[in-house]
């Protein structure tokens, strides 16, 4: 049924991760920077699932689970910080956040 | 060309297009929608890899909760078009080629490693129910400690969000 | 003919999708008619009465009106997202219904079960994943209109739907523990049999708390009164769809009613035994219940036609009478009666739950926003969590005692 080599999935995962890094570097809006981190996490998840498939074991899927849980926790705290920043600085541009205090 | 291969290419293309749109879009909401597109196509790829449970969790948690939270915050802050500022020259002229070089390097090693040439075998659909059961057994036996640790992590995250969101007296 | 035998799955699936789409669209239209009639009855009015006998052609007239109204797009809106939102809302709402089994899987044509479009092992999880991205339709509609009231409506709806989705999911997990499966067919089959020889083994009996939590959360998820904050007309004009007109508005409207049908179907499957009959199999006369019911309806319609209807309405209602009586007569034919047994019970249960929905709308006032949030997080979530923990303990208790 599925004669797709695992390497295809891994290459796709690498491409997505690379695009995530590019987005992380180039975006200036703190929310979109946050989103590019999520994109990188997703790329890693794809690699995990592909490896789990190749090994015929389920450990990889368990790790995907943990990654998703950590991403959810990170989103909750991160977005709270974003809201705080936006209220104090009245801008979402990271280049305006250049002081070590709020 | 069999159906799974076509499906793989369509989803892979959608995922890459979504990721590129995430970079190109000026409105944060458009970026968020592009990211949802990436997540959806990844969910279909998980189905192709015979992991329907992870696919469902991906949609429910990632697309249905985390990204909705992002959209909510963008709407709440009424975030407008992203302002362009001067890019660092180094990032522009050295970063992009180096990034692609790194990407090619990773792809090269992945494609030539022993695991990369392995072919996904077996039929996904037949073992779905058993897999979900097996997955939960592993999660609650072998990985019980990390599981409990994540629950504490979530508790800390809730407390953190509460402390941050609380109004100053 | 060769094509059909070569690709039975494809052909049967396409036919099933077409038939289901037709039935669901008709059901949506007549659900609005039913709602207006019941609400009118509660408020001592007549409801729609002039278009067709008893207003039976009103949904058709409404549909035509939606099609021919001027289609406006606000010039300041975000075009792409503005167009995407209603499509997203309606297509997700309709996709969810494809997972619902309306009858037993044993009834087959060309080796395919005919009562469900897509029968998958983890049906419940997929239903939840589809409903969980349903928020986007409302949120994006609110954002893309680029206007105050829709934005507030969209904000309210995303906050409300995220909050109540948690309780909705947790209230269902109790049933999952009892059933031990995520497949709809397994969940329904697990409810066969009786307690004390007369109480059906439906999950609603042990999971009454879970059912009440589910019902409350489901009403909030579908944005119905008393939780219709996203479109509270006295506060927000019409909420998230203020800037939508013509057919795009109709799509939101249909999506809301389709979602109502989906959550009623889910309640029926999880808590009321799906297509199982409440009577034991030995009572063979129940085979003739659908036919007898339709014949009774036909008799009442015939009485109404002769006594109360005049002019064109009399002819229209005579057609309705003939349809009901003819359907009843066909349903009495034993092979047909055996096939429609499952769908008959399923539909009856759905109709009762939908009636409850409409009844709520006619009775209760709207919540205030902060009350809505504190109700969801401080009452509904703890209660459904407690229900889950207690269910888990009751299930695990015999295992703990006997090792």
């Amino acid at each position: 049924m599925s004669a797709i080599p695992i390497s295809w999935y891994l290459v796709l995962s690498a491409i997505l991760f690379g695009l995530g890094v590019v987005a992380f570097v180039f975006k200036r809006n703190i929310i979109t920077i946050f989103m590019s981190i999520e994109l990188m996490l997703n790329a890693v998840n794809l690699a995990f699932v592909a490896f789990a498939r190749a090994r015929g074991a389920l450990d990889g899927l368990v790790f995907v689970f943990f990654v998703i849980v950590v991403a959810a926790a990170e989103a909750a705290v991160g977005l709270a910080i974003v809201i705080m920043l936006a209220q104090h600085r009245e801008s979402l541009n990271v280049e305006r956040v250049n002081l070590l205090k709020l | 060309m069999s159906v799974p291969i076509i499906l793989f290419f369509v989803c892979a293309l959608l995922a890459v297009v979504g990721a590129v749109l995430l970079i190109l879009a000026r409105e944060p909401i458009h970026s968020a929608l592009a990211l949802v597109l990436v997540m959806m196509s990844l969910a279909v790829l998980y189905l192709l890899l015979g992991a329907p449970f992870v696919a469902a969790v991906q949609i429910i948690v990632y697309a249905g909760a985390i990204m909705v939270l992002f959209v909510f915050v963008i709407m709440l802050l009424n975030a407008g078009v992203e302002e362009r500022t001067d890019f660092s020259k180094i990032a522009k002229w050295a970063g992009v080629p180096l990034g692609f070089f790194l990407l090619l390097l990773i792809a090269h090693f992945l494609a030539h490693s022993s695991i990369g040439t392995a072919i996904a075998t077996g039929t996904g659909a037949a073992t779905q129910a058993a897999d979900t059961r097996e997955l939960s057994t592993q999660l609650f036996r072998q990985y019980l400690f990390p599981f409990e640790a994540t629950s504490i992590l979530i508790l800390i995250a809730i407390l953190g969000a509460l402390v941050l969101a609380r109004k100053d007296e | 003919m060769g094509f059909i035998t070569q690709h039975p799955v494809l052909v049967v699936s396409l036919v099933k999708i077409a038939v289901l789409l037709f039935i669901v669209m008709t059901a949506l239209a007549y659900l609005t008619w039913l709602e207006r009639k019941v609400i009118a009855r509660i408020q001592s009015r007549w409801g729609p009465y002039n278009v067709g006998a008893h207003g039976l052609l009103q949904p058709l007239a409404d549909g035509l009106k939606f099609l021919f109204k001027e289609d406006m797009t606000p010039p300041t809106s975000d075009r792409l997202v503005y167009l995407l939102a209603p499509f997203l809302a309606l297509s997700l709402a309709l996709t969810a219904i494809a997972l619902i089994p309306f009858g037993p899987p044993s009834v087959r044509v060309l080796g395919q079960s005919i009562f469900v479009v897509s029968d998958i092992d983890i049906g419940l999880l997929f239903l939840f994943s589809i409903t969980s991205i349903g928020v986007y339709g409302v949120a994006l509609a609110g954002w893309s209109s680029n206007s105050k009231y829709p934005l507030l409506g969209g904000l309210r709806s995303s906050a409300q739907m995220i909050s109540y989705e948690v309780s909705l999911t947790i209230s269902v997990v109790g049933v999952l523990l009892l059933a031990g499966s995520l497949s709809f067919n397994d969940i329904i089959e697990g409810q066969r049999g009786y307690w004390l020889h007369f109480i059906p083994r439906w999950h609603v009996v042990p999971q009454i708390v879970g059912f009440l939590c589910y019902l409350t959360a489901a009403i909030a998820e579908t944005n119905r009164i008393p939780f219709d904050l996203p479109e509270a007309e006295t506060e927000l004009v019409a909420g998230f769809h203020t800037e939508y007109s013509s057919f795009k508005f109709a799509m939101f409207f249909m999506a809301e009613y389709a979602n109502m049908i989906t959550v009623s179907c889910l309640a029926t499957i999880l808590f009321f035994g799906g297509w199982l009959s409440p009577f034991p199999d030995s009572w063979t006369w129940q085979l003739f219940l659908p036919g007898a019911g339709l014949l009774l309806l036909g008799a009442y319609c015939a009485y109404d036609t002769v006594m109360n209807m005049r002019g064109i309405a009399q002819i229209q209602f005579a057609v309705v009478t003939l349809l009901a009586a003819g359907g009843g007569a066909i349903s009495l034919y034993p092979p047909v009666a055996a096939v429609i047994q499952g769908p008959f019970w399923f539909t009856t249960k759905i109709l009762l739950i939908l009636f409850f929905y409409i009844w709520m709308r006619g009775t209760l006032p709207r919540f205030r926003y902060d009350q809505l949030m504190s109700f969801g997080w401080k009452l509904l979530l703890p209660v459904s969590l407690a229900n889950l923990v207690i269910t888990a303990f009751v299930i695990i208790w015999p295992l703990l005692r006997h090792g």
Side-chain angles (χ1 to χ4, degrees):
Chain A
M1 157 191 167
S2 50
I4 307 169
I6 291 297
S7 56
W8 292 9
Y9 288 101
L10 297 180
V11 169
L12 176 64
S13 161
I15 292 174
L16 288 180
F17 191 88
L19 286 171
V21 174
V22 171
F24 184 84
V25 173
F26 276 93
K27 295 307 259 188
R28 283 295 171 270
N29 186 318
I30 189 161
I31 300 180
T32 11
I33 288 178
F34 210 168
M35 281 188 226
S36 45
I37 298 177
E38 300 290 338
L39 177 58
M40 287 189 264
L41 285 175
N42 265 286
V44 172
N45 277 351
L46 179 61
F48 266 129
V49 177
F51 281 134
R53 179 71 175 175
R55 293 183 63 236
L58 291 171
D59 310 44
L61 303 187
V62 176
F63 278 104
V64 172
F65 247 32
F66 290 136
V67 171
I68 290 179
V69 169
V70 171
E74 173 214 334
V77 178
L79 287 174
I81 293 177
V82 168
I83 291 179
M84 287 283 286
L85 262 182
Q87 279 168 356
H88 282 266
R89 305 240 148 221
E90 293 176 354
S91 164
L92 289 170
N93 192 330
V94 279
E95 295 192 348
R96 318 228 159 191
V97 189
N98 48 10
L99 296 175
L100 280 176
K101 60 174 187 176
L102 276 172
Chain B
M1 288 290 259
S2 63
V3 177
I5 294 185
I6 298 172
L7 205 57
F8 172 83
F9 274 113
V10 169
C11 291
L13 194 70
L14 279 179
V16 174
V17 166
V20 172
L21 279 179
L22 167 73
I23 301 174
L24 293 183
R26 306 276 307 267
E27 290 268 5
I29 285 250
H30 292 172
S31 294
L33 286 180
L35 191 51
V36 172
L37 178 66
V38 176
M39 285 165 178
M40 291 300 189
S41 24
L42 284 189
V44 178
L45 289 179
Y46 294 164
L47 282 182
L48 269 182
L49 280 166
F53 191 71
V54 174
V57 169
Q58 160 98 359
I59 296 182
I60 294 177
V61 180
Y62 255 130
I66 298 181
M67 287 319 291
V68 173
L69 211 58
F70 272 95
V71 171
F72 180 76
V73 169
I74 294 170
M75 280 165 69
L76 189 72
L77 298 178
N78 217 346
V81 176
E82 186 179 355
E83 53 179 309
R84 296 275 174 188
T85 47
D86 304 336
F87 289 121
S88 145
K89 288 282 187 299
I90 304 175
K92 210 170 191 173
W93 299 112
V96 177
L98 272 177
F100 273 95
F101 179 68
L102 178 72
L103 215 141
L104 283 177
L105 212 62
I106 296 176
H108 175 82
F109 278 111
L110 285 178
H112 289 84
S113 63
S114 60
I115 199 162
T117 46
I119 284 179
T121 47
T123 51
T127 53
Q128 275 174 14
D131 268 7
T132 307
R133 193 171 292 263
E134 185 62 29
L135 185 67
S136 53
T137 316
Q138 254 192 25
L139 189 62
F140 292 119
R141 294 259 163 81
Q142 199 182 341
Y143 292 96
L144 185 64
F145 181 72
F147 181 80
E148 296 293 341
T150 48
S151 67
I152 293 175
L153 175 78
I154 289 181
L155 185 66
I156 295 171
I158 293 174
L159 287 180
L162 272 181
V163 168
L164 284 171
R166 196 187 52 183
K167 287 204 176 68
D168 301 327
E169 276 90 42
Chain C
M1 211 50 213
F3 184 75
I4 297 179
T5 44
Q6 268 169 11
H7 304 279
V9 181
L10 187 68
V11 172
V12 174
S13 298
L14 285 178
V15 171
K16 278 193 293 193
I17 291 172
V19 171
L20 184 72
L21 205 58
F22 176 73
I23 293 177
V24 168
M25 285 301 181
T26 320
L28 289 183
Y30 278 92
L31 189 56
T32 61
W33 175 81
L34 186 74
E35 173 155 23
R36 291 169 73 171
K37 275 295 191 189
V38 173
I39 293 282
R41 179 83 191 157
I42 290 173
Q43 297 166 347
S44 301
R45 294 185 285 115
W46 282 110
Y49 212 87
N50 287 327
V51 190
H54 284 295
L56 273 173
L57 294 179
Q58 187 71 41
L60 203 66
D62 285 344
L64 284 177
K65 194 179 81 175
F66 279 134
L67 274 178
F68 291 116
K69 280 247 170 167
E70 188 186 356
D71 194 359
M72 302 258 290
T73 306
T76 52
S77 69
D78 188 312
R79 275 301 163 82
L80 186 70
V81 183
Y82 181 82
L83 284 176
L84 183 71
F87 277 98
L88 207 61
L90 184 60
S91 55
L92 287 175
L94 290 178
T95 313
I97 295 181
L99 295 166
I100 305 284
F102 289 93
S106 52
V107 181
R108 282 166 186 275
V109 171
L110 290 173
Q112 305 291 312
S113 163
I114 57 167
F115 286 131
V116 55
V117 171
S118 162
D119 182 17
I120 50 179
D121 275 349
I122 50 172
L124 189 65
L125 264 185
F126 267 83
L127 192 68
F128 274 132
S129 44
I130 292 170
T131 48
S132 74
I133 43 179
V135 196
Y136 285 110
V138 177
L140 292 179
W143 179 80
S144 65
S145 300
N146 201 358
S147 157
K148 286 191 217 65
Y149 293 129
L151 185 70
L152 282 174
L155 270 176
R156 279 184 176 188
S157 86
S158 22
Q160 172 181 336
M161 283 165 115
I162 295 179
S163 308
Y164 279 79
E165 207 172 283
V166 182
S167 317
L168 185 79
T169 316
I170 290 178
S171 63
V172 164
V173 177
V175 171
L176 291 185
L177 289 180
L178 289 178
S181 170
L182 288 166
S183 148
F184 285 139
N185 284 326
D186 292 351
I187 293 174
I188 294 173
E189 281 299 333
Q191 301 180 55
R192 209 179 265 284
Y194 295 89
W195 281 299
L196 305 174
H197 301 293
F198 71 98
I199 307 171
R201 267 179 117 63
W202 293 346
H203 288 321
V204 68
V205 182
Q207 287 290 314
I208 181 72
V209 181
F211 172 65
L212 292 178
C213 289
Y214 173 84
L215 202 64
T216 319
I219 293 172
E221 277 287 296
T222 45
N223 292 334
R224 296 275 303 177
I225 288 176
F227 301 104
D228 64 337
L229 275 293
E231 44 192 292
E233 61 272 7
T234 43
E235 303 158 26
L236 299 179
V237 188
F240 64 91
H241 54 56
T242 305
E243 303 289 347
Y244 281 86
S245 54
S246 178
F247 201 65
K248 294 207 277 292
F249 169 75
M251 286 169 92
F252 278 118
F253 199 66
M254 288 193 281
E256 183 185 323
Y257 281 82
N259 280 332
M260 265 171 78
I261 292 182
T262 312
V263 292
S264 309
C265 288
L266 197 56
T268 309
I269 291 170
L270 293 175
F271 296 100
F272 292 99
W275 30 259
L276 293 176
S277 152
F279 306 121
D281 289 339
S282 52
W283 296 11
T284 43
W285 54 262
Q286 63 171 315
L287 218 57
F288 302 107
L289 220 51
L294 277 176
L295 280 181
L296 268 180
L297 183 68
Y300 171 74
C301 290
Y303 168 79
D304 212 27
T305 312
V306 177
M307 300 304 288
N308 299 331
M309 295 292 160
R310 292 291 169 269
I312 187 109
Q314 196 163 27
I315 302 168
Q316 287 165 349
F317 219 57
V319 173
V320 176
T321 310
L322 282 179
L323 280 179
I330 293 172
S331 308
L332 282 177
Y333 182 53
V336 178
V339 170
I340 63 166
Q341 202 57 206
F344 168 70
W345 287 113
F346 201 88
T347 321
T348 312
K349 291 168 187 174
I350 294 176
L351 278 178
L352 284 177
I353 297 174
L354 285 175
F355 175 76
F356 179 78
Y357 253 82
I358 298 170
W359 187 12
M360 293 280 282
R361 179 179 163 182
T363 318
L364 292 178
R366 184 179 301 128
F367 269 91
R368 213 172 58 211
Y369 191 66
D370 58 317
Q371 289 173 334
L372 173 95
M373 279 296 155
S374 61
F375 178 78
W377 287 107
K378 292 181 187 163
L379 183 70
L380 203 57
L381 186 60
V383 169
S384 46
L385 266 176
N387 175 54
L388 171 60
V389 171
I390 292 171
T391 312
F393 261 107
V394 170
I395 290 174
I396 208 82
W397 186 245
L399 293 176
L400 285 180
R401 271 208 320 205
H402 305 296

